[in-house]
Amino acid sequence: MILKTERLYFRELKPADFEPLCQMLKDPVVMVAYEGAFSDDEVHEWLERQIARYQKWGFGLWAVLLNESDEMIGQCGLTMQPWKEQEVLEIGYLFCRRHWHKGYAIEAARACKQYAFDVLDAYEVCSIIRDTNFASQKVAIRNGMTVVDHWVKHYRGVAMPHDRYVAFRPRDKD
């Protein structure tokens, strides 16, 4: 276990998580910010990319499970993402549609922000969000983040404007 909150716990994704990942990544409503659902091959690539991130950085998107049932309901974690001419530490989150509007995304994102500051000793952490993804924007704002800049990313042949929401590590009180 990597993190635990009141209702959730986080662990590394593993090959056996392919089916729960499919519930999210093959759902066109969940994946609207990615221009559509993933294929089986794309889900496999996604899973392999997370496992490689654990080996490279010691973190990545983690499986998010309910404490009460051990059901995997989503993924949330930290990744290094390209942004303009640099790489930035990002909190990413994606949940099964049937678990939306229950506060899980903000609970998970807040835990990841704290992890970034306390464990990784990061000065700042961000969430990079497509300009049309209003639900994710609300999570970022509730996570104490504000928009600091904009950039157009290209994915699946589509130009997608994105905003970078950032939170800075609180200064130590003297």
Side-chain angles (χ1 to χ4, degrees):
M1 183 181 333
I2 295 158
L3 287 170
K4 185 171 179 142
T5 67
E6 182 180 336
R7 301 179 296 166
L8 310 169
Y9 71 93
F10 301 61
R11 65 162 170 76
E12 289 185 353
L13 288 162
K14 53 191 177 190
D17 293 323
F18 177 76
E19 287 305 321
L21 277 176
C22 284
Q23 291 178 25
M24 284 173 276
L25 301 178
K26 292 176 80 173
D27 182 331
V29 175
V30 171
M31 298 302 289
V32 70
Y34 289 84
E35 284 299 308
F38 280 13
S39 67
D40 281 351
D41 287 343
E42 288 170 317
V43 174
H44 277 293
E45 289 171 16
W46 181 276
L47 181 56
E48 289 170 7
R49 189 166 44 254
Q50 301 321 311
I51 293 168
R53 286 174 169 157
Y54 306 148
Q55 294 168 354
K56 181 175 182 178
W57 295 313
F59 56 85
L61 292 178
W62 297 306
V64 177
L65 297 93
L66 292 173
N67 287 332
E68 64 185 26
S69 67
D70 296 324
E71 177 189 0
M72 183 177 156
I73 64 166
Q75 53 188 328
C76 185
L78 297 156
T79 61
M80 297 303 296
Q81 293 292 326
W83 183 260
K84 298 183 178 179
E85 300 295 322
Q86 61 183 336
E87 276 195 329
V88 295
L89 182 63
E90 183 198 29
I91 299 170
Y93 36 89
L94 199 58
F95 286 83
C96 294
R97 188 172 7 150
R98 72 180 181 282
H99 293 289
W100 288 4
H101 309 295
K102 297 178 182 178
Y104 295 133
I106 185 57
E107 186 174 334
R110 282 181 177 149
C112 288
K113 180 175 83 171
Q114 205 61 46
Y115 185 95
F117 294 150
D118 294 347
V119 177
L120 302 180
D121 198 30
Y123 169 73
E124 70 177 53
V125 65
C126 70
S127 287
I128 299 168
I129 303 171
R130 192 169 176 185
D131 68 342
T132 55
N133 190 342
F134 303 118
S136 287
Q137 292 169 9
K138 289 178 185 177
V139 171
I141 291 166
R142 289 181 65 200
N143 200 15
M145 297 178 156
T146 56
V147 175
V148 297
D149 60 351
H150 317 278
W151 189 36
V152 177
K153 296 177 87 175
H154 295 83
Y155 185 72
R156 291 185 165 181
V158 177
M160 301 179 191
H162 281 70
D163 297 317
R164 186 168 68 102
Y165 290 75
V166 176
F168 296 94
R169 181 175 58 214
R171 293 183 180 182
D172 294 332
K173 295 182 180 177
D174 297 324

